[in-house]
Amino acid sequence: MQLKTDRLILRPLEEKDAADLFPVMNDPDVTANLLLPHPYPAEKVSAWIRSCHAAYEVCERYDLAVVRKDTGQVIGVCSLCKVSWEHLSAELVYWIGKPHWGQGFITEAARKVLEYGFLELGLERVCVGCFACNTASRRVIEKLGFIYEGTARGEYKKLGVRYDTLHFGMLREDITNASGD
Ligand SMILES: CC(C)(COP(=O)(O)OP(=O)(O)OC[C@H]1O[C@@H](n2cnc3c(N)ncnc32)[C@H](O)[C@@H]1OP(=O)(O)O)[C@@H](O)C(=O)NCCC(=O)NCCS
């Protein structure tokens, strides 16, 4: 499977993507707001990609490489995780390398992934969460048209600090109402 937007190609992760993703997954500015361990050794990056691919094969997760059309570089990942075929639901997760921040790439990628999830996979609900302090992610979620559903106080603990998490949801009927930038 392959999805295309104006500037991006989205396709399942491949083992060769480890070279592009290793520096991103080891950048503390990227991982600060994620539940990824730091540091993330090269062999674990490859093992993680293999596990994503296996989960993709059985339709449990859709971890898509975000590839820039102009350079062919894999700049990040946009995923539908925790897919439930019973509840027709999934969770959206995304991250990209710092040099590519602030250019609308994740909003562009996630819009396409949501369209794929709702219209091709037949999902009826997608949720997304971010740390309350993650203003960039919160803005992306807002631009995508998610509805705020609540805050889980101190939901996660990282390096001794508890983080509040904002939770958002989108139902299939909401996608037509998703706002523009
Ligand atoms: C969050 C992240 C995915 C956003 O990706 P991106 O491609 O830069 O996002 P976009 O360019 O599509 O949109 C970012 C928006 O946030 C805004 N923004 C960025 N930093 C901001 C800040 N500190 N305060 C307020 N708004 C901010 C941008 O201006 C933009 O909004 P705009 O289009 O209205 O100007 C990226 O920063 C990232 O990978 N961060 C590290 C990992 C992470 O936090 N992942 C999400 C976990 S929930």
Side-chain angles (χ1 to χ4, degrees):
M1 118 354 166
Q2 179 167 285
L3 307 175
K4 285 185 180 165
T5 68
D6 284 352
R7 298 178 295 168
L8 302 169
I9 292 172
L10 307 165
R11 50 129 180 98
L13 286 171
E14 298 168 6
E15 204 149 348
K16 66 176 167 62
D17 300 334
D20 281 342
L21 292 179
F22 175 76
V24 185
M25 294 173 84
N26 277 282
D27 180 345
D29 287 337
V30 173
T31 57
N33 288 312
L34 297 172
L35 297 173
L36 285 183
H38 182 80
Y40 210 118
E43 61 276 13
K44 283 199 175 171
V45 173
S46 297
W48 174 74
I49 289 176
R50 281 196 298 275
S51 74
C52 291
H53 206 86
Y56 170 76
E57 294 292 338
V58 295
C59 305
E60 270 175 11
R61 297 174 56 105
Y62 296 79
D63 293 288
L64 305 181
V66 178
V67 187
R68 280 184 73 141
K69 278 183 183 169
D70 56 355
T71 60
Q73 188 186 0
V74 179
I75 60 171
V77 175
C78 188
S79 312
L80 287 171
C81 309
K82 299 183 187 168
V83 175
S84 164
W85 294 110
E86 180 184 359
H87 300 291
L88 296 175
S89 63
E91 180 179 354
L92 179 70
V93 175
Y94 45 72
W95 43 270
I96 59 168
K98 206 170 166 187
H100 311 280
W101 288 4
Q103 297 167 61
F105 284 121
I106 279 298
T107 306
E108 186 172 322
R111 272 206 186 110
K112 194 72 188 174
V113 168
L114 287 171
E115 186 186 297
Y116 177 73
F118 284 115
L119 303 182
E120 299 293 325
L121 298 180
L123 298 178
E124 294 179 355
R125 173 181 159 83
V126 176
C127 67
V128 65
C130 69
F131 290 165
C133 56
N134 193 348
T135 38
S137 186
R138 190 175 181 168
R139 176 73 188 124
V140 168
I141 291 166
E142 196 177 281
K143 287 194 289 180
L144 291 170
F146 277 89
I147 306 294
Y148 172 71
E149 294 179 336
T151 297
R153 293 175 304 141
E155 185 173 17
Y156 295 110
K157 190 171 181 181
K158 259 191 91 159
L159 303 172
V161 178
R162 298 209 72 89
Y163 288 86
D164 291 351
T165 310
L166 311 181
H167 290 273
F168 304 81
M170 184 182 286
L171 299 179
R172 189 193 298 194
E173 56 262 36
D174 296 334
I175 198 166
T176 49
N177 301 327
S179 60
D181 294 359

